[in-house]
Short mmCIF file of all heavy atoms in Angstrom, two decimals:
data_model
loop_
_atom_site.label_atom_id
_atom_site.label_comp_id
_atom_site.label_asym_id
_atom_site.label_seq_id
_atom_site.Cartn_x
_atom_site.Cartn_y
_atom_site.Cartn_z
N ARG A 43 10.04 5.97 -18.49
CA ARG A 43 9.35 6.38 -19.73
C ARG A 43 8.05 7.14 -19.46
O ARG A 43 7.57 7.80 -20.32
CB ARG A 43 9.08 5.14 -20.57
CG ARG A 43 8.05 4.20 -20.05
CD ARG A 43 7.93 2.89 -20.83
NE ARG A 43 6.88 2.08 -20.32
CZ ARG A 43 6.86 1.37 -19.20
NH1 ARG A 43 7.99 1.45 -18.43
NH2 ARG A 43 5.85 0.68 -18.78
N SER A 44 7.51 6.99 -18.21
CA SER A 44 6.23 7.67 -17.89
C SER A 44 6.07 7.72 -16.36
O SER A 44 6.81 7.10 -15.64
CB SER A 44 5.12 6.83 -18.50
OG SER A 44 5.01 5.58 -17.84
N ARG A 45 5.05 8.54 -15.95
CA ARG A 45 4.70 8.55 -14.53
C ARG A 45 4.32 7.13 -14.07
O ARG A 45 4.62 6.75 -12.97
CB ARG A 45 3.54 9.52 -14.26
CG ARG A 45 3.95 10.93 -14.34
CD ARG A 45 2.81 11.94 -14.16
NE ARG A 45 1.49 11.37 -13.89
CZ ARG A 45 0.65 11.92 -13.02
NH1 ARG A 45 0.98 13.01 -12.37
NH2 ARG A 45 -0.56 11.43 -12.82
N ALA A 46 3.61 6.39 -14.90
CA ALA A 46 3.20 5.08 -14.54
C ALA A 46 4.40 4.19 -14.28
O ALA A 46 4.40 3.40 -13.34
CB ALA A 46 2.33 4.49 -15.66
N ALA A 47 5.48 4.37 -15.02
CA ALA A 47 6.69 3.59 -14.79
C ALA A 47 7.33 3.94 -13.45
O ALA A 47 7.89 3.05 -12.74
CB ALA A 47 7.71 3.80 -15.93
N VAL A 48 7.24 5.19 -13.04
CA VAL A 48 7.74 5.59 -11.77
C VAL A 48 6.97 4.92 -10.62
O VAL A 48 7.52 4.33 -9.72
CB VAL A 48 7.74 7.13 -11.60
CG1 VAL A 48 8.16 7.52 -10.18
CG2 VAL A 48 8.62 7.83 -12.65
N VAL A 49 5.66 5.01 -10.78
CA VAL A 49 4.75 4.38 -9.78
C VAL A 49 5.00 2.90 -9.74
O VAL A 49 5.06 2.29 -8.65
CB VAL A 49 3.28 4.76 -10.05
CG1 VAL A 49 2.36 3.96 -9.18
CG2 VAL A 49 3.07 6.25 -9.86
N GLU A 50 5.09 2.27 -10.89
CA GLU A 50 5.32 0.81 -10.92
C GLU A 50 6.59 0.42 -10.20
O GLU A 50 6.66 -0.54 -9.44
CB GLU A 50 5.38 0.34 -12.40
CG GLU A 50 5.49 -1.16 -12.53
CD GLU A 50 5.53 -1.58 -13.98
OE1 GLU A 50 5.25 -0.78 -14.90
OE2 GLU A 50 5.82 -2.78 -14.20
N GLU A 51 7.68 1.17 -10.42
CA GLU A 51 8.92 0.88 -9.73
C GLU A 51 8.87 1.17 -8.25
O GLU A 51 9.38 0.39 -7.46
CB GLU A 51 10.14 1.65 -10.35
CG GLU A 51 11.42 1.20 -9.73
CD GLU A 51 12.62 1.37 -10.60
OE1 GLU A 51 12.48 1.38 -11.82
OE2 GLU A 51 13.69 1.35 -10.04
N LEU A 52 8.21 2.23 -7.87
CA LEU A 52 8.02 2.51 -6.46
C LEU A 52 7.30 1.34 -5.80
O LEU A 52 7.64 0.92 -4.70
CB LEU A 52 7.20 3.78 -6.25
CG LEU A 52 7.99 5.10 -6.30
CD1 LEU A 52 7.02 6.26 -6.21
CD2 LEU A 52 8.98 5.18 -5.16
N CYS A 53 6.27 0.84 -6.44
CA CYS A 53 5.52 -0.28 -5.91
C CYS A 53 6.38 -1.54 -5.77
O CYS A 53 6.35 -2.25 -4.83
CB CYS A 53 4.30 -0.59 -6.68
SG CYS A 53 3.00 0.67 -6.47
N ALA A 54 7.18 -1.76 -6.86
CA ALA A 54 8.09 -2.92 -6.86
C ALA A 54 9.09 -2.83 -5.70
O ALA A 54 9.46 -3.83 -5.11
CB ALA A 54 8.79 -3.03 -8.17
N VAL A 55 9.56 -1.69 -5.39
CA VAL A 55 10.55 -1.44 -4.32
C VAL A 55 9.92 -1.41 -2.99
O VAL A 55 10.40 -2.04 -2.01
CB VAL A 55 11.38 -0.15 -4.63
CG1 VAL A 55 12.25 0.23 -3.44
CG2 VAL A 55 12.19 -0.34 -5.88
N ASP A 56 8.80 -0.60 -2.86
CA ASP A 56 8.25 -0.35 -1.53
C ASP A 56 7.25 -1.39 -1.05
O ASP A 56 7.15 -1.66 0.18
CB ASP A 56 7.57 1.02 -1.56
CG ASP A 56 8.60 2.16 -1.69
OD1 ASP A 56 9.80 1.92 -1.49
OD2 ASP A 56 8.14 3.27 -1.96
N PHE A 57 6.48 -1.97 -1.95
CA PHE A 57 5.48 -2.91 -1.53
C PHE A 57 6.04 -4.12 -0.73
O PHE A 57 5.49 -4.45 0.31
CB PHE A 57 4.62 -3.42 -2.72
CG PHE A 57 3.32 -4.08 -2.28
CD1 PHE A 57 2.16 -3.34 -2.11
CD2 PHE A 57 3.30 -5.43 -1.97
CE1 PHE A 57 0.99 -3.93 -1.71
CE2 PHE A 57 2.16 -6.03 -1.56
CZ PHE A 57 1.00 -5.27 -1.43
N PRO A 58 7.17 -4.69 -1.20
CA PRO A 58 7.70 -5.81 -0.37
C PRO A 58 8.13 -5.39 1.02
O PRO A 58 7.98 -6.18 1.96
CB PRO A 58 8.93 -6.28 -1.20
CG PRO A 58 8.63 -5.87 -2.61
CD PRO A 58 7.83 -4.56 -2.45
N VAL A 59 8.64 -4.21 1.17
CA VAL A 59 9.05 -3.69 2.49
C VAL A 59 7.80 -3.56 3.38
O VAL A 59 7.77 -3.93 4.52
CB VAL A 59 9.78 -2.36 2.35
CG1 VAL A 59 10.12 -1.76 3.75
CG2 VAL A 59 11.08 -2.57 1.58
N TRP A 60 6.77 -2.94 2.79
CA TRP A 60 5.48 -2.76 3.50
C TRP A 60 4.93 -4.11 3.90
O TRP A 60 4.50 -4.34 5.04
CB TRP A 60 4.58 -1.98 2.57
CG TRP A 60 3.28 -1.49 3.18
CD1 TRP A 60 3.12 -1.01 4.45
CD2 TRP A 60 2.04 -1.42 2.53
NE1 TRP A 60 1.80 -0.67 4.59
CE2 TRP A 60 1.12 -0.90 3.43
CE3 TRP A 60 1.59 -1.75 1.24
CZ2 TRP A 60 -0.20 -0.68 3.14
CZ3 TRP A 60 0.27 -1.54 0.96
CH2 TRP A 60 -0.62 -1.02 1.89
N ALA A 61 4.86 -5.04 2.93
CA ALA A 61 4.34 -6.39 3.24
C ALA A 61 5.15 -7.08 4.30
O ALA A 61 4.57 -7.75 5.17
CB ALA A 61 4.33 -7.20 1.95
N ALA A 62 6.46 -6.88 4.30
CA ALA A 62 7.28 -7.54 5.33
C ALA A 62 6.93 -6.96 6.69
O ALA A 62 6.98 -7.74 7.72
CB ALA A 62 8.77 -7.30 5.02
N GLU A 63 6.62 -5.72 6.80
CA GLU A 63 6.24 -5.12 8.07
C GLU A 63 4.92 -5.67 8.57
O GLU A 63 4.75 -5.98 9.76
CB GLU A 63 6.14 -3.60 7.96
CG GLU A 63 7.50 -2.95 7.83
CD GLU A 63 7.45 -1.45 7.79
OE1 GLU A 63 6.57 -0.91 8.46
OE2 GLU A 63 8.30 -0.82 7.11
N VAL A 64 3.97 -5.89 7.63
CA VAL A 64 2.69 -6.51 8.02
C VAL A 64 2.95 -7.94 8.48
O VAL A 64 2.38 -8.41 9.49
CB VAL A 64 1.71 -6.44 6.86
CG1 VAL A 64 0.39 -7.25 7.13
CG2 VAL A 64 1.36 -5.02 6.50
N GLU A 65 3.75 -8.68 7.74
CA GLU A 65 4.07 -10.05 8.06
C GLU A 65 4.74 -10.16 9.42
O GLU A 65 4.37 -11.03 10.25
CB GLU A 65 4.93 -10.69 6.99
CG GLU A 65 5.11 -12.18 7.15
CD GLU A 65 5.82 -12.79 5.95
OE1 GLU A 65 6.63 -12.14 5.32
OE2 GLU A 65 5.53 -13.97 5.69
N ALA A 66 5.69 -9.24 9.69
CA ALA A 66 6.39 -9.28 10.97
C ALA A 66 5.40 -9.04 12.15
O ALA A 66 5.50 -9.68 13.18
CB ALA A 66 7.49 -8.24 10.99
N ALA A 67 4.49 -8.12 11.94
CA ALA A 67 3.49 -7.84 12.98
C ALA A 67 2.63 -9.05 13.25
O ALA A 67 2.32 -9.37 14.38
CB ALA A 67 2.60 -6.66 12.57
N MET A 68 2.27 -9.74 12.16
CA MET A 68 1.44 -10.94 12.31
C MET A 68 2.22 -12.06 13.05
O MET A 68 1.65 -12.80 13.85
CB MET A 68 1.00 -11.46 10.92
CG MET A 68 -0.07 -10.54 10.34
SD MET A 68 -0.56 -11.13 8.73
CE MET A 68 -1.48 -12.58 9.19
N GLU A 69 3.52 -12.17 12.70
CA GLU A 69 4.32 -13.21 13.36
C GLU A 69 4.47 -13.02 14.86
O GLU A 69 4.58 -13.93 15.63
CB GLU A 69 5.73 -13.25 12.71
CG GLU A 69 5.68 -13.87 11.31
CD GLU A 69 7.02 -13.83 10.59
OE1 GLU A 69 7.98 -13.26 11.12
OE2 GLU A 69 7.09 -14.36 9.48
N ARG A 70 4.47 -11.74 15.30
CA ARG A 70 4.59 -11.43 16.68
C ARG A 70 3.27 -11.71 17.47
O ARG A 70 3.28 -11.79 18.66
CB ARG A 70 5.01 -9.99 16.90
CG ARG A 70 6.43 -9.70 16.49
CD ARG A 70 6.84 -8.30 16.89
NE ARG A 70 6.05 -7.23 16.27
CZ ARG A 70 6.40 -6.62 15.10
NH1 ARG A 70 7.42 -7.07 14.43
NH2 ARG A 70 5.60 -5.66 14.59
N ALA A 71 2.17 -11.81 16.74
CA ALA A 71 0.88 -11.96 17.32
C ALA A 71 0.66 -13.47 17.69
O ALA A 71 1.15 -14.36 16.98
CB ALA A 71 -0.22 -11.50 16.42
N ASP A 72 -0.08 -13.69 18.78
CA ASP A 72 -0.34 -15.06 19.24
C ASP A 72 -1.79 -15.44 18.93
O ASP A 72 -2.70 -14.86 19.52
CB ASP A 72 -0.02 -15.11 20.77
CG ASP A 72 -0.07 -16.54 21.24
OD1 ASP A 72 0.23 -17.49 20.50
OD2 ASP A 72 -0.40 -16.73 22.44
N GLY A 73 -1.96 -16.38 18.08
CA GLY A 73 -3.28 -16.88 17.79
C GLY A 73 -3.88 -16.29 16.53
O GLY A 73 -3.46 -15.13 16.15
N PRO A 74 -4.81 -16.91 15.87
CA PRO A 74 -5.34 -16.44 14.60
C PRO A 74 -6.05 -15.10 14.68
O PRO A 74 -5.91 -14.21 13.80
CB PRO A 74 -6.27 -17.55 14.11
CG PRO A 74 -6.44 -18.45 15.25
CD PRO A 74 -5.34 -18.23 16.21
N GLU A 75 -6.85 -14.88 15.73
CA GLU A 75 -7.52 -13.56 15.86
C GLU A 75 -6.58 -12.43 16.05
O GLU A 75 -6.70 -11.36 15.49
CB GLU A 75 -8.55 -13.61 16.98
CG GLU A 75 -9.80 -14.38 16.59
CD GLU A 75 -10.92 -14.27 17.61
OE1 GLU A 75 -10.86 -13.34 18.49
OE2 GLU A 75 -11.87 -15.06 17.53
N ALA A 76 -5.54 -12.65 16.87
CA ALA A 76 -4.51 -11.62 17.11
C ALA A 76 -3.73 -11.36 15.82
O ALA A 76 -3.35 -10.20 15.54
CB ALA A 76 -3.55 -12.05 18.22
N LYS A 77 -3.55 -12.38 14.99
CA LYS A 77 -2.83 -12.22 13.72
C LYS A 77 -3.66 -11.37 12.75
O LYS A 77 -3.16 -10.50 12.08
CB LYS A 77 -2.50 -13.56 13.11
CG LYS A 77 -1.38 -14.32 13.80
CD LYS A 77 -1.08 -15.64 13.13
CE LYS A 77 -0.02 -16.39 13.93
NZ LYS A 77 1.22 -15.70 14.20
N ILE A 78 -4.94 -11.61 12.76
CA ILE A 78 -5.86 -10.81 11.91
C ILE A 78 -5.91 -9.39 12.33
O ILE A 78 -5.80 -8.45 11.58
CB ILE A 78 -7.26 -11.48 11.87
CG1 ILE A 78 -7.20 -12.80 11.12
CG2 ILE A 78 -8.30 -10.56 11.25
CD1 ILE A 78 -8.38 -13.73 11.31
N ALA A 79 -6.00 -9.18 13.67
CA ALA A 79 -5.93 -7.80 14.20
C ALA A 79 -4.61 -7.11 13.79
O ALA A 79 -4.61 -5.94 13.43
CB ALA A 79 -6.12 -7.79 15.68
N ALA A 80 -3.51 -7.82 13.92
CA ALA A 80 -2.19 -7.26 13.51
C ALA A 80 -2.16 -6.93 12.06
O ALA A 80 -1.58 -5.91 11.67
CB ALA A 80 -1.10 -8.22 13.94
N TYR A 81 -2.72 -7.78 11.27
CA TYR A 81 -2.79 -7.60 9.80
C TYR A 81 -3.51 -6.26 9.47
O TYR A 81 -3.05 -5.46 8.68
CB TYR A 81 -3.53 -8.77 9.18
CG TYR A 81 -3.83 -8.73 7.75
CD1 TYR A 81 -2.85 -9.10 6.77
CD2 TYR A 81 -5.06 -8.32 7.21
CE1 TYR A 81 -3.14 -9.09 5.40
CE2 TYR A 81 -5.34 -8.30 5.88
CZ TYR A 81 -4.36 -8.69 4.95
OH TYR A 81 -4.62 -8.63 3.62
N VAL A 82 -4.68 -6.04 10.12
CA VAL A 82 -5.41 -4.80 9.90
C VAL A 82 -4.67 -3.59 10.46
O VAL A 82 -4.47 -2.61 9.77
CB VAL A 82 -6.82 -4.94 10.48
CG1 VAL A 82 -7.56 -3.60 10.38
CG2 VAL A 82 -7.60 -6.07 9.80
N ARG A 83 -4.27 -3.70 11.70
CA ARG A 83 -3.66 -2.56 12.39
C ARG A 83 -2.37 -2.08 11.70
O ARG A 83 -2.11 -0.89 11.54
CB ARG A 83 -3.32 -2.91 13.85
CG ARG A 83 -4.43 -2.75 14.77
CD ARG A 83 -3.95 -2.72 16.24
NE ARG A 83 -5.12 -2.54 17.08
CZ ARG A 83 -5.82 -3.54 17.62
NH1 ARG A 83 -5.45 -4.78 17.42
NH2 ARG A 83 -6.91 -3.26 18.31
N ARG A 84 -1.50 -3.04 11.34
CA ARG A 84 -0.24 -2.63 10.73
C ARG A 84 -0.41 -1.96 9.39
O ARG A 84 0.22 -0.97 9.07
CB ARG A 84 0.71 -3.85 10.58
CG ARG A 84 2.09 -3.49 10.19
CD ARG A 84 2.76 -2.63 11.37
NE ARG A 84 3.88 -1.97 10.87
CZ ARG A 84 4.17 -0.68 11.15
NH1 ARG A 84 3.41 -0.02 12.00
NH2 ARG A 84 5.18 -0.08 10.68
N GLN A 85 -1.37 -2.45 8.58
CA GLN A 85 -1.65 -1.82 7.31
C GLN A 85 -2.13 -0.39 7.48
O GLN A 85 -1.69 0.52 6.81
CB GLN A 85 -2.66 -2.61 6.46
CG GLN A 85 -2.08 -3.88 5.88
CD GLN A 85 -3.08 -4.48 4.88
OE1 GLN A 85 -3.33 -3.91 3.87
NE2 GLN A 85 -3.63 -5.60 5.27
N LEU A 86 -2.99 -0.22 8.45
CA LEU A 86 -3.54 1.13 8.70
C LEU A 86 -2.54 2.04 9.34
O LEU A 86 -2.54 3.24 9.06
CB LEU A 86 -4.87 1.03 9.55
CG LEU A 86 -5.99 0.29 8.81
CD1 LEU A 86 -7.22 0.19 9.69
CD2 LEU A 86 -6.28 0.89 7.48
N ALA A 87 -1.61 1.47 10.13
CA ALA A 87 -0.55 2.29 10.71
C ALA A 87 0.41 2.82 9.61
O ALA A 87 1.00 3.91 9.72
CB ALA A 87 0.22 1.50 11.71
N LEU A 88 0.50 2.06 8.51
CA LEU A 88 1.40 2.42 7.45
C LEU A 88 0.79 3.50 6.49
O LEU A 88 1.46 3.97 5.60
CB LEU A 88 1.80 1.20 6.65
CG LEU A 88 2.72 0.26 7.37
CD1 LEU A 88 2.82 -1.10 6.65
CD2 LEU A 88 4.09 0.86 7.57
N VAL A 89 -0.44 3.84 6.65
CA VAL A 89 -1.12 4.79 5.76
C VAL A 89 -0.32 6.14 5.73
O VAL A 89 -0.18 6.68 4.65
CB VAL A 89 -2.58 5.05 6.18
CG1 VAL A 89 -3.20 6.22 5.44
CG2 VAL A 89 -3.38 3.80 5.93
N GLY A 90 0.20 6.57 6.80
CA GLY A 90 0.96 7.82 6.85
C GLY A 90 2.36 7.71 6.30
O GLY A 90 2.98 8.75 6.04
N ASP A 91 2.82 6.50 6.09
CA ASP A 91 4.16 6.29 5.60
C ASP A 91 4.28 6.70 4.15
O ASP A 91 3.42 6.43 3.34
CB ASP A 91 4.48 4.81 5.75
CG ASP A 91 5.90 4.47 5.46
OD1 ASP A 91 6.39 4.79 4.37
OD2 ASP A 91 6.56 3.84 6.34
N ARG A 92 5.34 7.38 3.79
CA ARG A 92 5.55 7.84 2.43
C ARG A 92 5.55 6.71 1.41
O ARG A 92 5.13 6.89 0.26
CB ARG A 92 6.85 8.66 2.28
CG ARG A 92 6.75 9.96 3.04
CD ARG A 92 8.01 10.79 2.99
NE ARG A 92 9.21 10.04 2.73
CZ ARG A 92 10.14 10.42 1.88
NH1 ARG A 92 9.97 11.56 1.20
NH2 ARG A 92 11.20 9.75 1.66
#
Side-chain angles (χ1 to χ4, degrees):
R43 69 187 185 288
S44 66
R45 284 178 4 141
V48 175
V49 171
E50 185 178 349
E51 185 152 340
L52 278 173
C53 288
V55 170
D56 292 345
F57 195 90
V59 175
W60 189 38
E63 290 184 31
V64 173
E65 187 172 32
M68 289 178 70
E69 287 174 359
R70 289 188 299 270
D72 188 30
E75 285 189 14
K77 288 182 183 307
I78 291 165
Y81 175 84
V82 173
R83 275 197 180 93
R84 191 65 198 136
Q85 285 188 70
L86 296 179
L88 289 168
V89 169
D91 188 304
R92 291 176 340 132

